[in-house]
Amino acid sequence: MGRNGSPWLFIIVTVFIVTVQTGSLNLAVIMPTVAFPNSGFEINPTSSSNGWIWPASDWVWDGSVAHTGSHSARVYRGSGNETNSVWSDYITVQPSTIYQLSYWLRTQNATWWPSVSLYQYKTGNIQTGPRLIAHANISAGMSAWKNIQYSFQTMPDASSIRVRIALWTQASGTFWFDDFGLEEGPHAIYPFHPGFPVLANGSVFVSSPVVADINGDGDNELLIAGGSAVNGWDRNGAILPGYPLNTNDKHIQSQIAVADLDGDGDLEIAAGTKTPIYDGRGRVFIWHHTGTLVNGWPKSVDWDTTYAHNESLVSTIVMADIDGDQDMEILAGTSNNTAAYSGSTPPAAPNLYAWRADGSRVAGQWPTWHNTAGFYGCIAAGDLNGDGIADVEVGRDHHYLNVYGSSGTALSGWPIETYLNANAGRYEVDEHIGYNLAAPVIADLDGNGVMEFIVAGFVGGPGATPIHNSAVLVLEPDGSRRPGWETPALGAGILNLEDMSIQAPAVADLDGDGSLEIIVTTNDGWIRAYQSDKELLWSFNYTQGAVLVATEPVVGDIDGDGLLEVVFGTRVPARSGGVFYNGPVGLWALKSDGKVAPGFPLPVPTPGMFGAPTLADLDSDGELEILVAAREGHIYSWDTSTPYNPMQLPWPTGRHDLNRSASYTPLTPLEASHKLASPRFVTQGQTASFTINIISTSPVNETISFTDTIPAGVSFVPGSLSSTSGVATYSAGVIRWSGDLSDVLEIEITYDVVVTTSAARVIRNTAIIDTITNGLISRSVDLYANLNHIFLPLIRR
């Protein structure tokens, strides 16, 4: 239903296109130019109907400076309020299409980038979608003309755009604008999900979208950490009641984690903050799904006011059972450190915490610390030593790695020092590997039952020599280097030392050989896939000739071809003072062989993405969505036509899962089960088929069962029920099935229904599977009854 109670109008547009895929955001060779009235200000824009709405003050039609022709638009700001705005005419665009806006900019004594905003409109000049901002590079003194390019995807209902130019209160100096242009690219293979994009109430840092049924009502919700709050929306982009969940601290920088901490069937939400206003210490918050705080929370973390650098920051949150009691504990790493201490015995700087759900600390030596270093990357939680209980794997801001057991003491053999060619050396003499922005991963790479510790760090030294490369290491449970990884896999340098990204590997079996590959983006502009023996499978340069850094990759089949894709985003680094560069940022998808997938990269707003994408079924329609959160707070969801299949999503979100464990384990039995409907769009009197696939990853000897209640609006077709194994029955509006998966790993149950309702509505059908050993799981699919399904051929010259 719409927000006013009226039914949503579902429209599916089918388009035929012949185009060229370049694998780049620079599509100028195939992008026809769109008419942009008075784009170079050659006609006096102060007159009516000359392409621009020109304000009475602040702006000058400059006849002495121009990029081409004889005129440009000039604006100056010294102080006070932001300047008046110049608005372009409405410019006609096509819906769900890729465009590139460009303009030329010259500056003198500029302090911040100008506000060049783009607005989209549907029929009737009603705004659709959020405002977009085409950031520009700025520099002190007099800068020469530079070309700014900004790619974007239009909304499904967009018919025109406008450009607005102003100087906001951060920007001072003189700015000239000239030669605006708009080029039309291909129709978007992946349209926006209805109701998206949406806008968070602040900047998004490394938070990946959370897609989960947080309240147990059968519908997924979407959460993201934006600004100082956890933001929440339903599957249609409507803000959840009670959200955002405000912390009133500076911001949330880490991933948010969710899990059922109290066993009541819904999910709790955890987030860590940076420096509250009132006492200067970061905090860890835990909320119920309703937005009320869990008793005992938030918790303030320790902060050394004498020797610590920077501000107090909770950089990483993980939920895991580290003591074997079947309940989740809450783990947090913080930036607390004593780096400025110069003596031989640094004071304690607690920066790794373990709490129970009620806020009490886990017994033992928690919180713990090591030397003078804090956390600026992420921690992992996985069973490294094979005792059935999760261990805590860490890399702090120094050249040590450590693994802690349930009591907070290091496991045997840990911590270790890591030098370029060995686990021993001399700091002042040898090159070392540091972990200031590290994110360890735990996985059994070759399937031999032994987990490995995988981590990417930075190469620096000897001594305090600046870092100059990236390095990937694979370690055995005792800290020794895995055979073949005695020396790390190295990058090709560092593109930008001022603002680097967390180097967080992902793992998946890309080539189908039964062993896992390690996929990692490094700060040299490359993403690489290594086989378990360190053999390079492929590499791809994501920079397109610019200075860019990349997010953690995620892995899944997004196009339905049965092969895995690697999906990640890029961003432009910030300069001193927080000013972002402009650059060709985007969301990339690479095929399992490292080649660019058709339709990619997808444009995202400058300065790009900090956090990993998420692959999930947001609306429970049985099809996959691709979700990302851009730095400026735009939350995107693209629809695919690919069936949602957890078996084809080995690394679907940042840090692998919503607990943010970064521990790779195969799916447990029956998690890959799914449900489909065909056709999806139906009318009264039409027949549709439901199919339930019960899939296990290993033989199941126990008798499992499911129930499927026929929803209102359809009726069961007698004689249509069948199953490939087991016993399926129908009685009094309920389908029941029981059987085991001892001889086969997949069972398919199908039946038909006839649509009986004449109303326009969404009909949801949910099957409940009793797994016996792993509780109940539900699988749902929607029919769209008596709703419009439009076929619209689009002919492009």
Side-chain angles (χ1 to χ4, degrees):
M1 299 292 285
R3 297 186 195 186
N4 62 358
S6 59
W8 289 110
L9 176 63
F10 287 83
I11 300 178
I12 302 299
V13 180
T14 305
V15 180
F16 289 113
I17 295 178
V18 178
T19 186
V20 178
Q21 295 295 335
T22 69
S24 170
L25 287 179
N26 181 12
L27 302 173
V29 295
I30 63 169
M31 297 175 77
T33 299
V34 178
F36 199 119
N38 198 13
S39 62
F41 303 101
E42 293 306 301
I43 304 172
N44 188 346
T46 64
S47 302
S48 60
S49 304
N50 282 335
W52 300 88
I53 296 176
W54 196 264
S57 60
D58 295 328
W59 286 83
V60 175
W61 186 44
D62 194 335
S64 62
V65 176
H67 172 250
T68 62
S70 58
H71 286 83
S72 65
R74 186 182 83 229
V75 63
Y76 169 80
R77 180 185 175 278
S79 60
N81 296 329
E82 72 174 36
T83 67
N84 288 309
S85 297
V86 168
W87 286 84
S88 76
D89 261 346
Y90 290 91
I91 302 169
T92 300
V93 295
Q94 300 298 318
S96 294
T97 301
I98 307 298
Y99 284 87
Q100 185 167 273
L101 174 73
S102 63
Y103 61 94
W104 288 83
L105 175 68
R106 182 181 178 182
T107 62
Q108 183 173 4
N109 300 325
T111 59
W112 205 261
W113 67 80
S115 173
V116 179
S117 302
L118 188 149
Y119 298 83
Q120 301 181 62
Y121 300 89
K122 55 187 175 182
T123 301
N125 295 336
I126 300 170
Q127 186 179 340
T128 178
R131 177 181 71 152
L132 304 174
I133 303 175
H135 291 280
N137 299 338
I138 56 93
S139 56
M142 175 66 77
S143 68
W145 287 102
K146 63 186 68 174
N147 184 231
I148 310 302
Q149 296 182 343
Y150 180 78
S151 295
F152 64 98
Q153 179 174 322
T154 53
M155 298 291 291
D157 56 355
S159 60
S160 64
I161 66 166
R162 295 182 76 190
V163 175
R164 179 173 71 89
I165 322 169
L167 299 184
W168 39 24
T169 53
Q170 297 108 315
S172 60
T174 306
F175 295 72
W176 291 264
F177 297 86
D178 205 356
D179 294 334
F180 278 79
L182 185 67
E183 294 179 309
E184 182 178 326
H187 188 83
I189 293 177
Y190 299 97
F192 290 135
H193 183 70
F196 288 84
V198 293
L199 193 61
N201 66 336
S203 298
V204 178
F205 290 86
V206 298
S207 180
S208 295
V210 169
V211 175
D213 180 7
I214 62 171
N215 57 9
D217 66 353
D219 290 328
N220 281 331
E221 286 78 37
L222 169 62
L223 306 179
I224 200 75
S228 62
V230 174
N231 297 249
W233 301 267
D234 68 14
R235 60 180 181 164
N236 298 312
I239 296 174
L240 296 178
Y243 283 73
L245 311 181
N246 288 300
T247 67
N248 297 315
D249 294 351
K250 282 198 172 179
H251 63 249
I252 299 172
Q253 183 154 329
S254 64
Q255 298 277 7
I256 55 176
V258 299
D260 183 3
L261 296 178
D262 55 13
D264 64 354
D266 52 49
L267 301 180
E268 280 68 50
I269 304 153
T273 68
K274 180 177 182 178
T275 314
I277 295 170
Y278 73 94
D279 75 350
R281 293 192 294 163
R283 294 188 287 177
V284 176
F285 287 76
I286 299 182
W287 297 270
H288 294 292
H289 74 274
T290 59
T292 59
L293 283 166
V294 174
N295 288 338
W297 299 90
K299 292 292 184 184
S300 294
V301 300
D302 290 311
W303 183 243
D304 188 298
T305 58
T306 303
Y307 300 112
H309 288 166
N310 305 319
E311 294 175 287
S312 178
L313 166 69
V314 179
S315 61
T316 175
I317 295 279
V318 173
M319 294 177 173
D321 179 12
I322 64 169
D323 58 7
D325 66 354
Q326 307 304 308
D327 292 325
M328 290 279 193
E329 282 73 50
I330 298 92
L331 308 168
T334 80
S335 58
N336 194 23
N337 66 83
T338 54
Y341 177 79
S342 58
S344 59
T345 308
N351 52 34
L352 180 59
Y353 291 80
W355 292 282
R356 301 193 184 281
D358 62 4
S360 61
R361 290 187 180 179
V362 175
Q365 297 186 22
W366 304 103
T368 187
W369 63 91
H370 188 252
N371 288 355
T372 60
F375 291 97
Y376 299 93
C378 304
I379 61 178
D383 182 11
L384 186 63
N385 62 2
D387 65 356
I389 301 173
D391 308 301
V392 186
E393 294 81 15
V394 304
R396 290 180 173 89
D397 185 18
H398 56 186
H399 64 293
Y400 290 83
L401 293 170
N402 211 340
V403 182
Y404 296 93
S406 60
S407 65
T409 58
L411 296 189
S412 177
W414 301 88
I416 61 169
E417 290 185 87
T418 54
Y419 293 89
L420 192 61
N421 297 314
N423 284 358
R426 293 173 56 196
Y427 184 83
E428 297 299 331
V429 174
D430 300 316
E431 290 181 296
H432 57 269
I433 306 172
Y435 304 100
N436 56 316
L437 289 171
V441 166
I442 307 303
D444 179 3
L445 292 176
D446 54 10
N448 67 350
V450 177
M451 301 289 271
E452 282 84 32
F453 184 127
I454 303 145
V455 65
F458 292 117
V459 180
T465 303
I467 63 173
H468 53 267
N469 208 348
S470 297
V472 181
L473 269 179
V474 179
L475 303 164
E476 300 287 5
D478 62 0
S480 62
R481 300 192 181 189
R482 176 180 166 85
W485 292 86
E486 291 83 3
T487 58
L490 296 176
I494 302 292
L495 286 180
N496 175 67
L497 286 171
E498 200 166 7
D499 179 22
M500 297 183 295
S501 275
I502 295 173
Q503 297 183 137
V507 297
D509 184 5
L510 295 179
D511 56 9
D513 67 352
S515 295
L516 300 176
E517 279 71 49
I518 301 166
I519 310 105
V520 60
T521 58
T522 47
N523 285 267
D524 58 358
W526 291 82
I527 179 172
R528 298 176 178 87
Y530 296 97
Q531 294 179 322
S532 59
D533 61 359
K534 208 180 82 171
E535 183 75 19
L536 182 66
L537 185 65
W538 51 256
S539 60
F540 175 77
N541 187 306
Y542 57 75
T543 65
Q544 306 169 80
V547 176
L548 300 175
V549 290
T551 72
E552 173 187 353
V554 298
V555 186
D557 179 9
I558 64 172
D559 58 11
D561 65 355
L563 302 174
L564 299 178
E565 281 77 43
V566 174
V567 185
F568 65 99
T570 57
R571 69 173 176 92
V572 286
R575 295 189 296 189
S576 297
V579 179
F580 286 99
Y581 291 100
N582 178 53
V585 298
L587 179 73
W588 289 92
L590 306 180
K591 302 294 291 181
S592 58
D593 61 1
K595 294 183 173 61
V596 178
F600 287 88
L602 302 177
V604 296
T606 309
M609 299 165 52
F610 279 56
T614 292
L615 308 177
D617 182 6
L618 174 61
D619 56 1
S620 301
D621 67 347
E623 294 181 344
L624 188 70
E625 278 82 48
I626 305 169
L627 300 102
V628 304
R631 170 64 167 75
E632 295 294 279
H634 299 85
I635 315 302
Y636 289 86
S637 177
W638 288 275
D639 280 335
T640 78
S641 57
T642 301
Y644 175 70
N645 181 0
M647 289 294 290
Q648 289 292 90
L649 298 170
W651 199 278
T653 189
R655 307 303 286 151
H656 179 264
D657 49 62
L658 298 184
N659 301 149
R660 310 303 179 186
S661 73
S663 180
Y664 177 89
T665 54
L667 285 176
T668 59
L670 303 174
E671 278 188 284
S673 301
H674 56 270
K675 186 170 189 176
L676 301 172
S678 180
R680 299 285 306 286
F681 285 82
V682 291
T683 57
Q684 186 178 20
Q686 188 174 357
T687 298
S689 296
F690 288 114
T691 301
I692 304 98
N693 293 90
I694 300 178
I695 303 171
S696 178
T697 56
S698 60
V700 178
N701 295 317
E702 295 88 355
T703 298
I704 59 177
S705 62
F706 87 83
T707 57
D708 186 350
T709 301
I710 305 297
V714 297
S715 63
F716 175 72
V717 175
S720 64
L721 178 61
S722 66
S723 64
T724 57
S725 182
V727 177
T729 61
Y730 169 81
S731 177
V734 179
I735 303 291
R736 290 181 172 84
W737 175 90
S738 63
D740 64 49
L741 287 88
S742 57
D743 297 323
V744 295
L745 296 182
E746 181 172 354
I747 295 170
E748 184 173 280
I749 302 100
T750 62
Y751 66 91
D752 296 339
V753 295
V754 173
V755 179
T756 57
T757 182
S758 61
R761 54 174 295 190
V762 179
I763 300 172
R764 171 157 295 186
N765 186 356
T766 300
I768 305 296
I769 304 171
D770 186 349
T771 68
I772 306 300
T773 56
N774 292 287
L776 302 178
I777 59 175
S778 65
R779 295 293 182 262
S780 300
V781 69
D782 292 336
L783 288 180
Y784 302 104
N786 307 305
L787 295 164
N788 292 336
H789 180 199
I790 296 176
F791 177 87
L792 178 63
L794 177 65
I795 300 173
R796 174 153 305 163
R797 296 179 181 177

